Amino acid sequence: MTWSEMRPLLEQASWETLIMVGWSTLIAVVAGLPLGVLLVLSDRGGLLQDVVVNKVVGQVVNVGRSMPFIILMVALMSFTRWVTGTTIGSEAAIVPLAIGGIPFFARLVETAVREVDGGLVEAVQSMGGSTWTIVRKVLVPEALPSLIASTTTTVIALIGYSAMAGTVGGGGLGDLAVRYGYQRFDTGLMWITVAFLAVVISLIQFAGDLAARTLHRRGRGGAAPALRLLKAKEPAAADIGKVA
């Protein structure tokens, strides 16, 4: 197959992969972020401590993460058909991709939020901040660099899942590599597809790392140092009041 024949196939497959990964990442982030935060808040010693909720949510996340994606796709076929009206194509592949990405991202969010300095949470609590205020003003902003890195990891994982979805009619670059590269013995196209995926993943990783580092540097002068300074001044202000 010549390059002029390969190019439209690669363009179409890349567009299908972009749609699948883009929508599934959006759904995974929107649903996984609150789920991950809930796992932290409901844990022992958390702001909303509830052992039962934490165990139930944690177990659901664990099951979702442990299930191989190809099995998840098969198990969700009836649900996928109910949502999209079909089990073939890029639109159908978004459903299992999103459902597989939610628990994956939720665990990464949990890890990122747990890394936030507990002293900042205590400082906001001492100023009368509510749980929602702590989540919105402290936990998420302070964990943002790690959350960007987690999103990057999720996107890369979903690209791998989308290639796997292509092997069972999901479309995209995986489908192109299997139908043309493997089944028609066009190894040239297959290796071009593999190289293209490697370049795309490297670019995504570079962009994600750059964004995380930039946010981390900017965060050094942000709200966290101010809260630490406020917390340090509180005892001094109390002592002055006693002397007066």
Side-chain angles (χ1 to χ4, degrees), residues 4 15 26 48 53 59 61 77 80 125 131 135 138 142 148 179 184 191 197 200 202 204 206-207 220 233:
S4 60
W15 176 247
L26 178 62
L48 300 175
V53 171
Q59 190 60 36
V61 170
M77 278 187 175
T80 301
Q125 282 182 310
T131 300
V135 171
V138 179
E142 286 299 303
I148 294 296
R179 281 197 297 122
R184 299 187 183 184
W191 284 112
L197 281 170
V200 169
S202 297
I204 292 173
F206 173 78
R220 291 176 182 174
K233 286 182 176 180

Side-chain angles (χ1 to χ4, degrees), residues 12-88:
Q12 178 64 26
S14 298
W15 176 247
E16 292 174 351
T17 297
L18 177 62
I19 292 174
M20 287 190 291
V21 175
W23 278 107
S24 57
T25 299
L26 178 62
I27 296 170
V29 170
V30 170
L33 179 60
L35 198 60
V37 173
L38 178 61
L39 285 170
V40 176
L41 296 179
S42 62
D43 201 5
R44 296 183 186 276
L47 297 174
L48 300 175
Q49 179 175 320
D50 191 320
V51 177
V52 175
V53 171
N54 185 266
K55 293 296 184 184
V56 171
V57 174
Q59 190 60 36
V60 171
V61 170
N62 288 338
V63 171
R65 286 186 61 199
S66 63
M67 186 173 296
F69 181 71
I70 192 69
I71 296 177
L72 181 65
M73 285 190 65
V74 174
L76 291 174
M77 278 187 175
S78 298
F79 179 70
T80 301
R81 185 180 291 107
W82 178 74
V83 173
T84 65
T86 181
T87 58
I88 303 297

Side-chain angles (χ1 to χ4, degrees), residues 146-211:
S146 296
L147 292 176
I148 294 296
S150 299
T151 303
T152 303
T153 302
T154 302
V155 170
I156 293 173
L158 288 176
I159 290 175
Y161 289 167
S162 71
M164 193 182 303
T167 64
V168 290
L173 292 168
D175 179 58
L176 177 65
V178 171
R179 281 197 297 122
Y180 288 88
Y182 178 73
Q183 294 179 352
R184 299 187 183 184
F185 304 102
D186 192 340
T187 55
L189 177 60
M190 184 171 63
W191 284 112
I192 288 175
T193 305
V194 171
F196 182 74
L197 281 170
V199 171
V200 169
I201 289 173
S202 297
L203 290 175
I204 292 173
Q205 187 67 63
F206 173 78
D209 290 344
L210 180 62

Side-chain angles (χ1 to χ4, degrees), residues 79-135:
F79 179 70
T80 301
R81 185 180 291 107
W82 178 74
V83 173
T84 65
T86 181
T87 58
I88 303 297
S90 302
E91 292 183 0
I94 292 173
V95 176
L97 282 171
I99 293 177
I102 290 172
F104 183 86
F105 185 70
R107 280 301 184 192
L108 295 178
V109 170
E110 180 189 13
T111 302
V113 172
R114 287 190 189 279
E115 294 175 354
V116 175
D117 186 1
L120 301 177
V121 176
E122 294 174 3
V124 176
Q125 282 182 310
S126 68
M127 292 183 286
S130 64
T131 300
W132 171 242
T133 299
I134 292 172
V135 171

Side-chain angles (χ1 to χ4, degrees), residues 227-239:
L227 287 172
R228 293 191 185 98
L229 182 61
L230 177 60
K231 188 181 177 185
K233 286 182 176 180
E234 285 178 352
D239 292 340

